[in-house]
Amino acid sequence: MTDFEIIVGLETHIQLNTRSKIFCSCKADSWGDPPNTNICPVCTGLPGVLPVLNRTVVEKAVLLAVAMHAESVQPISYFARKNYFYPDLPKGYQISQYDEPLARGGYLDVPMPDGAVRRVTIQKLHLEEDAGKTVRAKGRRLIDFNRCGVPLIEMVTGPDLRSADEAAQYLIRLRQLLRWLEISEADMEKGHLRCDANVSIRPMGLNYLNPKTEIKNVNSIDAVRQAIQTEVERQKREVSAGRPIEAWTLEWDEDLGALHKMRSKETEADYRYFREPDLLPLLVDSGMRKRILGAMVELPLERRARFVMQYELPEYDAEILTEERSLSEYFEATLTARPGEAKTISNWMMNDVMRMLRERSVTASRLRLRPEHLAAIIGMVEGKLITTNTGKELLEKVEESGRAPADIVAAEGLSQVSDDSRLRSLAEEVVAESPDQLKAYRNGKTSLIGWFVGQVMRKTGGKAEPQRTRAILEDLLSE
Amino acid sequence: MRQALCDLPGHELVKRLRRKEISAVEILESVRGRIEAVEGRAPTTEPYSAQPADLERVHAYITLSLDRARQQAEAIDRALAAGEDPGPLAGVPLAVKDIFCVRGTRSTAASRILQDFISPYSATPVARLEQAGALTIGKVNLDEFTFGSSNESSAFLPPPGNPWDPRRVPGGSSGGSAAAVAAGEATISLGTDTSGSIRQPAAYCGVVGLKPTYGRVSRYGLIAFASSLDCPGPVTRDVTDAALALKVMAGPDPRDATAANLPVPEALGDLDQSAPKLRIGLSPDYFRLQYPEPSTGGLSERPVDPEIEAAVRRAADLLSDAGHTIVENVPMPNTRYGVPAYFVISRVEAASNLHRYDGVKYGYRYPGEVADLRELYRRTRGVGFGLQPKLRILMGMYVSGEEYEKDYYQRALRVRTLIRRDFERAFDPHGDFRLDCLLTPTTPSTAFEIGALYGDTVSMQYVDLLTVPADHAGVPAVSIPAGLDGRGLPIGIQFIGPDFSEVRMLQAARAFEQATEGDEWRRIQPRVVAAASAGV
Ligand SMILES: [Zn+2]
């Protein structure tokens, strides 16, 4: 049987997280709001209204274009009208960039789990407005215009992805980047990040492109992976049976895990694009570009590499700590307070701080436990002022109360007991109270040392300095 | 002769009002009386056949809002009594072309498809005029969606008649505007100009029609025809009123990205403050009509009406006598392509702008049974749109289709650039001509009879031949009355200036007005007004 190469390109639509819509001042995010509550004459296309471009949309798009290494962020770009009839398209045309988009070219280097890196090229990045939503109920069409005019970026990749897994990895990295740049919530389930996949196959080793099919309506990264996998298997079966692949548009049925044919490509409409006369050309001059890029931050993959280089963190740690921007900033802020202890801090964060984040469903920037608190706690543990266990409990106490760790330690008397004479008298008490265990120990069951340490711990409320306690006990027990 | 209040210019009304010689309510009552005398039966969308009485009346208004105007008038009188400033247009009766949205009123675009549409918001120019104290008398008739030059394509019939001869058209598409102002049914009107729709009816009705620079006045709330050409502007009794009205409605608008971010010149409030000596050009390309023969495609030529040419030449002589410099033989060679290019560009934009009228959200929806969404669209638009919108949609769809777009639409855009270049060359301060403005005829002929051209879309369009170049170029232009022809019909002459030169252009127009103050024709009233004044 022939070995096939899989060719996938992705067309993504990214909903920007601006406060207002792209051409009017209505609230952009309507998640959970009742239908038709965030609308006005402009976004519902009343007679006589005009669009006015939201500059924040442009700023966010320029950030993304630069982060995607765009070859050019165009100093001048244009909006066009894409004309078609649909009930949830109130003007009968969608305002979208077309032949002169905001940015051309670019790429994202996507690390794959096997260590390889796939460079995914970007053909163009453009701005457009979203349409409304049609819901069918009891033989009626109900239209919700809330989503009309929500700002979208359309970004199309080259045919560079070679498997369903690679497509999923690309989306994971894109989602990470969008959240990192704080330009989109990038939640696929909520439609903040939407993806159509173009899929074709060819015999391995050849380099022409076969007809492709387009898969629409995939609402999660897992669904993208499954849908592409399903389509690849179908295409392999068709080709192996000697049947041609036709340029269909397919729809992914999440519930059935199956693809349905929506339409053949040749019936595609003529949108009669022309320049939108109601908007001026979009100018991004060097001054504006400079101002926008003033807000640019180090990108996730760069930061990951730097954490490995600069702090000698293991790849694994660096990956985890840079999954999300505020987490990586939290790490570095903690490190500023305790320079040279990168791995120790990383361990605390990956074991404890991230558990707290998961339990509370917040990002690191939202914790009351600030990086300086974490640094102070680590400092007390390292300096043996408190035990590790006390340190871990302190994390929670600081988070609950917002008080400084040192204050809590002082107020609750959590300081480690390391005074030799006090430890020795407590140890003597324990030995005296435990004749059976003493006998067993002296008969060779030395593993009981842990039990004795535990008894001393109990008497101190967990504050006994463990190594010293152990040494004193060994001394007493062996007498 | 003592003139009725409804026949006075706005600045005169404001002056008398401020001196408390008259009240806003008195002005309104004068207009109400005139409307009752000359307006005739109200236009409707019912099947129409012309009655003899219809040919004696003006039929300017689709909707009258005299109660609303009465409240505005009373508020102004109260403000005056309280010693407050009632605004620069206080008490001036305003007719709004029914292509503008006015909050809480019917805004029909003279189309069945919007015949019951009540706008929830007001257009920026309307809001600014009302803010300045204007009394909104009502919404005046127009060609359906402004698609026409005679006002005959309105879905609301009878169509407006020309107050000088109601068997003739008032012009279009702002026909109701020009007719209302000429007949004393309003003092100023807010119109729109896309290919001449303010200036051509102003010329036909013997009033002033100003198309400002594109971007000088916000288009927010103007129901779009061809968005890159549409220009709101005033229709008035004289040049001073045109400047005053422009001053009120112009200026940046956060709701219109294409509204220019420029301050409004203070001088619009006092044109006579300075009287600069101007360089005024005459172009041979505006004294002849060149147009492609629809049958052969060859270029035909005929002269403009000799009486109109004579009126322009006389104006040039008078302006020369007043110390201005007349520059002859300014070439404007691309004037002849204005109409064909307009045909294409306006229809592409119009087809797209009309997409939103689909029966889904507002306006007319076909009430019968339909099989599916497609049929709902087809039937709604089939019944809701009249002939002109349908023709324009078909043509617009055709020339913007993927396979024809390059040959038609892109080419028309290049022609538009060439037309713009003609003006740039004429106005270039370092060029051969260095003009402050051009002086041209507004129209090739005076008002024609109702029914004479309607149905011949191409011929009708050539009525705009001398006005459409300024729309393509975006430059300001004004038509002012310059006499009557042998049949007693008004002749209009046009001044065209460079971008945002409204003050100078209007000063040129004002200079002509002053030079002809004593002319006999200025004392002749339109026939319906004379009849009303005589109590007939
Ligand atoms: Zn809105």
Side-chain angles (χ1 to χ4, degrees), chain A residues 45 47-48 81 83 90 270 272, chain B residues 121 221 352-353 355 362 397 402:
Chain A
R81 289 187 185 176
N83 296 283
D270 175 358
R272 297 183 296 106
Chain B
Y121 76 100
S352 171
N353 283 328
H355 264 249
Y362 48 74
M397 298 286 243
E402 214 172 294

Side-chain angles (χ1 to χ4, degrees), chain A residues 21 24-26 38-44 148:
Chain A
K21 294 184 180 181
C24 65
S25 53
C26 291
N38 297 317
I39 58 172
C40 74
V42 175
C43 56
T44 50
C148 286

Side-chain angles (χ1 to χ4, degrees), chain A residues 57-109:
Chain A
V57 169
V58 180
E59 290 170 11
K60 294 196 183 246
V62 169
L63 277 180
L64 180 60
V66 172
M68 297 298 290
H69 315 93
E71 279 159 30
S72 63
V73 175
Q74 301 292 104
I76 179 162
S77 63
Y78 296 88
F79 285 92
R81 289 187 185 176
K82 180 181 181 179
N83 296 283
Y84 65 96
F85 284 99
Y86 204 70
D88 62 23
L89 187 71
K91 298 189 292 297
Y93 54 84
Q94 180 195 26
I95 304 178
S96 168
Q97 294 197 302
Y98 175 54
D99 54 344
E100 297 282 355
L102 181 69
R104 291 179 192 279
Y107 61 88
L108 187 64
D109 281 334

Side-chain angles (χ1 to χ4, degrees), chain B residues 75 101 149 240 349 475 480 523:
Chain B
C101 289
S149 306
T240 305
E349 295 183 15
V475 296
I480 59 170
R523 276 181 289 285

